[in-house]
């Protein structure tokens, strides 16, 4: 018990422990404002550099292309941000969903197999969403009902999903064709493809939901101080369950987009997991309170997407991409933590 | 409130702690009954050398790191960099000893970078080591033209290398001796010394530990360097066994090591990382891989089964713990 109490009251690593003191809070807010503006400035600077240096980067078509290439990652990163928001920022004891990448692979396989088995698009979509939500429910069951640490519960579920995907596909590429898949990649409206619109729609919806409704505010209360939220009468377990199920549903949506982009399912989708963790945690530097946010997640995904795209146009080897991402996250996080610190550990 | 200091402990508390060992014994018996091959001494030794020793080295380092409240996602990078440097040097004709030392040096650099980012730049361990993981992947891709394995040329004087992989001292394979040394080291650090108490203090409340005069930074440096050292040894053993370096192959260690450490915490009364628990966790995973293979499950179903079993073990032990604490 005591360890649980300590765990929940310990300052999570994303919150500064500064909110104990009023003056500190104000100072921290100023600093976080500077960090946020600095991060946005960095994003603008990088894009401006590519715009000048890389021919074709600033093309409307290319920018839409960046969004299109970022959609799957963005949907998964939104999921991660929602789970982190609800569970709290402590990576080990707070919210995290390591099963997202494997869930993406499993759902893409489910859609492809269902589609090839002759089910119509609506049915295949329903099956895919059901699979994604079921994975989310299993996570929620382990975390909320059994009390397993999210890091561990979702790690085990990741293995189960990865294995289930292999069983479904026998580790092979399976192609699929359906009206829905060609609609997602082919159709366009106002110059943007349906993939772009899915990202735009999901982002607007989630920003409104998480940052503009009572539900979202309470979710952040649950993530910020679980005991206080419980004492205030919030049904903490319902909110936590909701985050994992929502994450599973978003992963299923991402899977349908991925199936459309790859014309089917192919092994290895789970590899996206680390990028998901990276972009979601990086989102804190784009947010006002240094917490994960949907808008911040979108910005960091586009940042990464723009970097990859710009590198391609500049003919920089793609082997640099991971390293640059790594340096980037270390840089932003170091700037943040150094400016928040005042001479202690 | 505090179950840990209660003079008489509820029987349930004891039950949680036997979940993992019990599951291990039950599965061992099942495998032994179903597969005659499984229960042969040769196969048990095979599990210990091939499915246990390398992950155990990595997981023991992870045990130290998690004890100090951290986590190390860069274990695979440390193992890979060690293998990459050593194999590249050997291929260019450098002596075995020098190559191995260079490999260990490379691994230590990874640990150094982790510790630097965590102590000097104040980055949380998860993000710091995640960043190092990304950088390490790029370094390997750039060095190997996107991930081409490096094979040791066949005329390399490989007697020493063979000894590293298959040599025996007093009838016990060398990798197991190295695991034994790592066990003694980590156990001493965790339990017998002031350092161990410092680690636990840092793991529980870093700020309080710092205010109490615990040398938090020094301990952090040591923990990540030791973790990287053990990973480096594992990486070198792996490349000695397969006589090659396969880029990014060390990443397989990461999630298994984390899983083993946390499964291992279930046998501790205070749910702390501990050496025995970690070893049980690693053996649990190794035995499952080997046993499921021998009873004829294909690789795909193995993964589902392992995930499910870990899920069940974690579920039982965390649920029982929760039921006690809410009484």
């Amino acid at each position: 018990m005591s360890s649980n109490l300590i765990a929940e009251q310990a300052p999570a690593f994303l919150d500064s422990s500064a909110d104990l003191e009023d003056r500190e809070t104000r100072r921290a807010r100023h600093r976080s404002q500077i960090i946020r503006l600095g991060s946005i400035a960095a994003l603008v600077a990088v894009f401006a550099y590519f715009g000048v240096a890389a021919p074709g980067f600033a093309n409307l078509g290319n920018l839409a292309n960046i969004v299109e290439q970022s959609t799957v990652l963005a949907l998964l990163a939104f999921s991660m941000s929602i789970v982190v928001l609800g569970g709290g920022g402590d990576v080990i004891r707070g919210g995290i969903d390591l099963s997202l990448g494997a869930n993406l692979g499993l759902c893409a396989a489910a859609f492809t197999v269902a589609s090839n088995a002759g089910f119509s698009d609506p049915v295949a979509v329903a099956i895919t969403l059901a699979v994604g939500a079921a994975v989310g429910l299993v996570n929620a069951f382990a975390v909320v009902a059994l009390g397993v640490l999210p890091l561990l519960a979702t790690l085990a579920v990741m293995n189960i999903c990865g294995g289930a995907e292999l069983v479904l596909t026998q580790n092979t590429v399976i192609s699929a064709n359906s009206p829905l898949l060609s609609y997602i990649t082919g159709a366009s409206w106002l110059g943007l493809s349906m993939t772009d619109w899915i990202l735009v729609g999901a982002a607007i919806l989630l920003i409104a939901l998480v940052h503009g409704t009572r539900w979202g505010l309470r979710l952040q209360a649950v993530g910020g101080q679980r005991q206080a939220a419980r004492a205030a009468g919030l049904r903490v377990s319902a909110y936590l369950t909701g985050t994992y199920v929502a994450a599973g549903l978003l992963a299923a949506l991402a899977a349908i987009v991925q199936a459309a982009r790859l014309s089917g399912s192919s092994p290895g989708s789970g590899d996206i997991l680390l990028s998901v963790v990276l972009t979601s945690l990086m989102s804190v530097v784009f947010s006002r309170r240094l917490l994960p946010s949907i808008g911040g997640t979108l910005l960091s995904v586009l940042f990464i997407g723009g970097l990859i795209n710009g590198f391609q146009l500049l003919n920089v080897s793609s082997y640099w991409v991971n390293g640059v991402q790594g340096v980037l996250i270390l840089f932003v996080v170091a700037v943040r933590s150094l400016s928040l610190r005042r001479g202690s550990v | 409130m505090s179950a840990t200091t209660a003079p008489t402990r509820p029987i349930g508390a004891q039950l949680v702690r036997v979940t993992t060992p019990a599951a291990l014994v039950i599965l061992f018996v099942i495998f032994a009954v179903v597969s005659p091959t499984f229960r042969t001494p040769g196969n048990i030794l095979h599990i210990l050398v091939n499915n246990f020793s390398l992950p155990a080295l990595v997981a023991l380092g992870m045990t130290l790191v998690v004890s100090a409240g951290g986590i190390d996602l860069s274990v695979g990078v440390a193992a890979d960099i060690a293998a990459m440097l050593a194999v590249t040097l050997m291929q260019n004709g450098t002596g075995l000893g020098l190559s191995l030392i260079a490999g260990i040096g490379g691994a230590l650099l990874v640990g150094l970078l982790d510790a630097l980012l965590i102590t000097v730049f104040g980055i949380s361990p998860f993000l710091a080591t995640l960043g190092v993981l990304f950088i390490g992947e790029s370094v390997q891709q750039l060095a190997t033209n996107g991930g081409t394995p490096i094979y040791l040329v066949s005329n390399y004087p490989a007697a020493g290398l063979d000894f590293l992989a298959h040599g025996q001292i007093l009838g016990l394979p060398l990798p197991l001796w190295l695991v034994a040394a790592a066990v003694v080291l980590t156990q001493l650090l965790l339990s017998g010394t002031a350092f161990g108490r410092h680690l636990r203090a840092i793991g529980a409340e870093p700020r309080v530990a710092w205010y109490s005069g615990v040398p938090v930074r020094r301990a952090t440096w040591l923990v990540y360097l030791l973790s990287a050292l053990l990973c480096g040894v594992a990486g070198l053993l792996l490349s000695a066994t397969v006589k090659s370096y396969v880029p990014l192959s060390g990443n397989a260690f990461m999630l298994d090591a984390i899983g083993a450490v946390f499964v291992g915490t279930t046998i501790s009364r205070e749910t702390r990382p501990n050496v025995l628990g970690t070893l049980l966790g690693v053996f649990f995973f190794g035995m499952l891989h080997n046993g499921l293979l021998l009873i004829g499950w294909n690789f795909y179903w193995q993964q589902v089964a392992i995930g499910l079993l870990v899920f069940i073990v974690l579920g039982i032990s965390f649920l029982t713990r929760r039921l006690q604490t809410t009484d």
Side-chain angles (χ1 to χ4, degrees), chain A residues 1 6 13 91 144-147 152 155 158 160 163-164 166-167 170-171 274 281 319 322-323 337 341 344-345, chain B residues 1 120-122 124 126-127 130 133-134 137-138 145-146 205 207 210 255 262 300-301 303-304 318-319 322:
Chain A
M1 182 70 202
I6 291 172
F13 86 103
V91 173
V144 178
L146 301 180
L152 293 179
L155 186 68
M158 179 184 97
I160 300 173
L166 290 174
V167 170
Q170 297 297 312
N171 205 12
L274 290 172
L281 295 182
Y319 307 147
N322 274 337
S337 79
R341 172 162 50 177
S344 67
V345 218
Chain B
M1 172 182 116
V120 178
F121 292 97
S124 76
F126 191 92
L127 289 176
L130 179 70
L133 168 60
F134 271 83
E137 288 189 348
S138 251
N145 200 14
E205 274 295 326
R207 205 160 280 266
W210 187 79
L255 292 172
F262 282 97
Y300 311 143
W301 281 109
Q303 212 185 333
V304 178
F318 276 86
L319 179 67
R322 163 173 284 195

Side-chain angles (χ1 to χ4, degrees), chain A:
Chain A
M1 182 70 202
S2 60
S3 66
N4 270 345
L5 265 178
I6 291 172
E8 283 170 12
Q9 287 169 352
F13 86 103
L14 288 175
D15 308 327
S16 69
S17 54
D19 45 20
L20 293 172
E21 293 166 66
D22 219 20
R23 206 173 40 140
E24 261 309 292
T25 317
R26 237 177 300 129
R27 201 176 289 167
R29 188 160 296 157
H30 287 310
R31 289 202 195 100
S32 71
Q33 197 70 2
I34 294 169
I35 293 166
R36 178 164 159 256
L37 294 176
S39 310
I40 294 175
L43 174 78
V44 171
V46 167
F47 272 59
Y49 169 74
F50 282 137
V52 175
F57 181 83
N59 256 333
L60 262 185
N62 186 55
L63 293 178
N65 196 22
I66 293 177
V67 177
E68 202 172 311
Q69 287 167 347
S70 308
T71 300
V72 171
L73 177 60
L75 291 174
L76 292 180
F78 291 160
S79 316
M80 184 69 88
S81 294
I82 292 173
V83 170
V84 174
L85 263 179
D90 185 302
V91 173
I92 294 179
R93 297 191 179 86
I96 193 161
D97 187 350
L98 298 184
S99 70
L100 282 170
N103 194 0
L104 171 81
L106 177 61
C107 286
F111 183 89
T112 312
V113 169
S115 184
N116 284 344
F119 288 106
S120 65
D121 274 333
V123 180
V125 168
I127 291 174
T128 311
L129 291 176
V131 170
V135 173
L137 264 180
V138 174
N139 283 327
F141 172 73
V143 171
V144 178
L146 301 180
V148 183
L149 296 177
L151 183 80
L152 293 179
T154 57
L155 186 68
V157 172
M158 179 184 97
N159 266 308
I160 300 173
C161 289
E165 183 200 346
L166 290 174
V167 170
L168 262 184
T169 65
Q170 297 297 312
N171 205 12
T172 54
V173 177
I174 304 181
S175 56
N177 265 312
S178 82
L180 177 72
L181 296 186
S182 19
Y183 179 73
I184 289 176
T185 44
S188 67
W189 183 53
L190 300 178
L192 294 177
S193 74
M194 279 306 131
T195 314
D196 293 331
W197 284 113
I198 289 175
L199 176 56
V200 172
I204 293 176
L205 195 73
L206 288 173
I207 288 174
L209 196 65
V210 174
H211 303 289
T213 62
R214 275 187 295 181
W215 184 85
L217 187 65
R218 288 172 179 166
L219 177 68
Q220 297 183 41
V222 170
Q225 271 293 349
R226 190 173 297 178
Q227 306 280 39
R230 191 172 284 137
L234 294 185
R235 292 181 53 213
V236 169
S237 46
Y239 278 89
L240 288 179
T241 308
T243 60
Y244 286 100
V245 175
L249 283 170
L250 279 168
L253 180 62
I256 295 171
V257 174
Q258 166 137 314
R261 289 179 51 77
L262 303 178
S263 311
S265 91
S266 68
S269 346
D271 296 347
I272 202 175
L273 173 69
L274 290 172
S275 295
V276 173
V277 174
L278 177 100
T279 42
S280 170
L281 295 182
M282 210 174 99
S283 76
V284 299
V285 296
F286 287 114
S287 90
R288 220 172 309 154
R289 291 170 51 232
L290 293 179
L291 287 173
S293 68
I294 303 296
T297 307
L298 182 63
L299 282 180
S300 45
V301 170
L302 292 179
F303 197 170
I304 301 286
L307 269 179
I308 295 173
N309 181 283
F311 275 12
Q312 279 166 356
L313 291 178
L314 288 176
N315 276 327
V316 178
S317 156
S318 65
Y319 307 147
W320 283 99
V321 169
N322 274 337
V324 171
Q325 287 188 49
V327 171
L328 194 69
I329 186 166
L330 291 175
F331 178 73
V332 287
V333 182
V335 168
R336 171 178 163 270
S337 79
L338 285 179
S339 61
L340 287 179
R341 172 162 50 177
R342 345 167 278 158
S344 67
V345 218

Side-chain angles (χ1 to χ4, degrees), chain B residues 31-55:
Chain B
F31 287 142
V33 170
V34 177
S35 160
T37 321
F38 178 83
R39 56 176 183 257
T40 58
N43 184 57
I44 304 299
L45 192 66
H46 175 85
I47 297 180
L48 285 175
V49 174
N50 292 309
N51 299 89
F52 172 79
S53 58
L54 303 191

Side-chain angles (χ1 to χ4, degrees), chain B residues 35-309:
Chain B
S35 160
T37 321
F38 178 83
R39 56 176 183 257
T40 58
N43 184 57
I44 304 299
L45 192 66
H46 175 85
I47 297 180
L48 285 175
V49 174
N50 292 309
N51 299 89
F52 172 79
S53 58
L54 303 191
L57 287 171
V58 177
L60 285 169
M62 188 73 82
T63 309
L64 287 175
V65 173
V66 177
S67 291
I71 195 150
D72 189 351
L73 304 186
S74 66
V75 286
V77 173
D80 283 336
I81 296 284
M84 184 177 91
L85 285 177
V87 171
T88 310
L89 284 174
M90 282 185 234
Q91 207 196 22
N92 293 333
T94 314
L96 181 66
L98 199 61
S99 307
L100 294 182
I101 291 172
I104 293 293
L108 287 176
L109 274 182
V110 175
L112 214 64
L113 185 57
D114 288 332
L116 181 82
L117 291 166
I118 293 165
T119 56
V120 178
F121 292 97
I123 301 176
S124 76
F126 191 92
L127 289 176
T129 55
L130 179 70
V132 173
L133 168 60
F134 271 83
I135 296 171
E137 288 189 348
S138 251
V139 168
Q140 292 177 62
Q141 283 179 327
L142 288 166
T144 62
N145 200 14
T148 324
I150 304 175
Y151 298 99
L152 276 177
V153 283
S154 50
N155 60 359
Y156 187 78
L161 206 61
D162 275 336
F163 180 72
L164 208 58
H166 310 291
Q168 298 198 339
I169 303 173
L170 301 178
L172 209 59
L174 184 68
L176 288 180
W177 282 107
L178 290 170
V179 172
V183 165
V184 172
L185 177 77
T186 41
Q187 183 64 42
L188 273 180
L189 283 176
L190 277 178
S191 61
T193 56
F195 181 74
R197 288 194 296 280
H198 287 167
L199 279 194
R200 287 202 291 273
I202 298 167
E205 274 295 326
R207 205 160 280 266
V208 173
W210 187 79
Y211 283 125
S212 323
V214 172
V216 174
R217 283 186 179 212
R218 204 170 65 201
T220 308
W221 280 96
L222 198 57
V223 161
Y224 285 92
L225 282 174
L226 281 173
S227 171
L229 173 71
L230 291 173
C231 295
V233 173
L236 292 178
L237 283 175
L238 180 65
S239 57
T241 311
V242 297
K243 297 248 176 351
S244 63
Y245 151 70
V246 183
L248 312 183
S249 56
N251 275 351
F253 288 131
M254 186 235 295
L255 292 172
D256 277 359
I258 295 174
V261 169
F262 282 97
V263 165
T265 61
T266 60
I267 72 157
S268 141
R269 198 180 299 161
E270 302 88 357
T271 69
R272 279 203 292 250
N274 61 92
V275 171
L276 181 64
T278 298
L279 293 177
L280 280 178
V282 177
F283 187 76
F284 187 65
F285 287 119
M287 187 188 75
L288 278 176
H289 279 292
N290 177 275
L292 289 171
L293 189 74
L294 286 180
I295 65 172
W297 286 32
N298 76 18
F299 175 75
Y300 311 143
W301 281 109
Q302 280 178 40
Q303 212 185 333
V304 178
I306 290 172
L308 266 177
L309 283 166

